[in-house]
């Protein structure tokens, strides 16, 4: 699959010369997938967005279970 994605990016670079190509977000996702296989295939976070995050914007996944689903040990 890596070879296919690399070929797709090379084709996109060639197509960019003629004014067409992949959606920039898709290109970033493919590049991220090649950099971090099976770990994080997402575009890089925007530093401006990351600077405005607060603790209220984060949710711990292990703590997030509705009260009705919690069981007593």
């Amino acid at each position: 699959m890596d070879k296919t994605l690399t070929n797709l990016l090379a084709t996109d670079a060639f197509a960019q010369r003629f004014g067409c190509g992949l959606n920039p977000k898709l290109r970033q996702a493919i590049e991220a997938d090649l950099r971090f296989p099976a770990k994080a295939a997402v575009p890089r976070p925007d530093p401006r967005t990351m600077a405005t995050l607060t603790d209220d914007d984060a949710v711990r996944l292990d703590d997030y279970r509705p009260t009705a689903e919690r069981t007593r040990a």
Side-chain angles (χ1 to χ4, degrees):
M1 184 75 169
D2 289 346
K3 180 114 172 111
T4 304
L5 294 178
T6 304
N7 288 339
L8 183 60
L9 290 176
T11 304
D12 178 56
F14 183 74
Q16 294 280 334
R17 290 194 237 164
F18 300 101
C20 59
L22 293 174
N23 182 323
K25 289 184 179 182
L26 177 60
R27 181 175 179 81
Q28 287 178 350
I30 292 172
E31 289 171 345
D33 188 37
L34 288 172
R35 270 194 307 277
F36 305 107
K39 291 285 184 182
V42 296
R44 287 185 226 142
D46 182 17
R48 292 172 289 164
T49 305
M50 297 303 290
T52 61
L53 292 178
T54 64
D55 289 339
D56 295 333
D57 296 324
V59 176
R60 289 181 55 102
L61 295 179
D62 56 350
D63 290 344
Y64 183 71
R65 285 181 35 195
T67 308
E69 292 182 18
R70 292 184 182 172
T71 58
R72 298 192 78 166

